[in-house]
Amino acid sequence: TATLLSRACSRVYLLLKGLAKHSGLEYAILTGGDVAPLGRDGVTEVHKLFEWARTSRRGLLLFIDEADAFLRQRSVANGELMSEDLRNALNAFLYRTGEVWAARPRMSRARSSLLKTDPDVQASDKFMLVYASNQPEQFDWAINDRIDEVRAC
């Protein structure tokens, strides 16, 4: 499941802790600005995060605050170029989330027939993404495609 909180909310951290506790998931908090300084290590760190989620007995709720700083459009927008390292980290994130989202049972027939899914990849109730952003219009189209629900905080 992926949820977007479209406005800043002072209670968001309390909300996340409660959601994680209620769902029985571990939780991790990442800010969009945490990824760029990782440089070339960004890809490795994204894969480590998803491996933690995959191997955790309890599962993982991943909260990405100011998500637009990391998950923004890959095309040139407003004259800003995305660094190659950040683009590679975003592509790793899309690859790892695509594994889960390609297996979603509620996908339309038209879209599902276009995707080749790995039969070993299953949709999971042990992984949840929550994004927060004041500028969700800057998200890459592939991120928007993976959002199940949008909530104003």
Side-chain angles (χ1 to χ4, degrees):
T1 301
T3 301
L4 168 65
L5 301 175
S6 64
R7 290 192 204 115
C9 179
S10 59
R11 304 176 316 247
V12 74
Y13 293 109
L14 291 174
L15 172 77
L16 289 168
K17 285 177 78 171
L19 182 59
K21 184 176 181 178
H22 178 75
S23 65
L25 300 172
E26 295 182 71
Y27 71 95
I29 298 172
L30 172 73
T31 67
D34 289 339
V35 180
L38 295 172
R40 290 184 178 174
D41 294 330
V43 171
T44 301
E45 295 303 317
V46 166
H47 287 300
K48 282 182 186 178
L49 186 62
F50 280 90
E51 280 305 305
W52 171 31
R54 188 182 67 77
T55 59
S56 169
R57 285 183 337 181
R58 290 177 46 200
L60 179 69
L61 184 155
L62 175 59
F63 173 60
I64 305 178
D65 198 7
E66 299 297 332
D68 50 275
F70 168 42
L71 304 175
R72 66 183 182 200
Q73 297 170 13
R74 289 170 281 183
S75 61
V76 177
N78 299 332
E80 292 182 39
L81 291 175
M82 179 182 277
S83 74
E84 184 177 345
D85 293 334
L86 189 57
R87 178 186 299 267
N88 290 339
L90 173 57
N91 286 336
F93 184 88
L94 291 171
Y95 172 76
R96 295 306 290 258
T97 56
E99 291 176 341
V100 174
W101 271 263
R104 287 191 299 188
R106 58 187 198 78
M107 188 179 300
S108 71
R109 270 188 233 152
R111 277 200 46 227
S112 63
S113 66
L114 297 174
L115 293 174
K116 294 182 180 178
T117 59
D118 184 337
D120 296 328
V121 174
Q122 301 293 320
S124 174
D125 60 355
K126 291 180 59 180
F127 183 66
M128 180 184 297
L129 279 167
V130 178
Y131 309 111
S133 176
N134 291 325
Q135 300 176 325
E137 68 279 356
Q138 291 191 8
F139 282 166
D140 189 88
W141 67 269
I143 294 297
N144 287 326
D145 195 43
R146 289 164 169 80
I147 294 175
D148 297 310
E149 183 177 355
V150 177
R151 299 240 172 161
C153 203

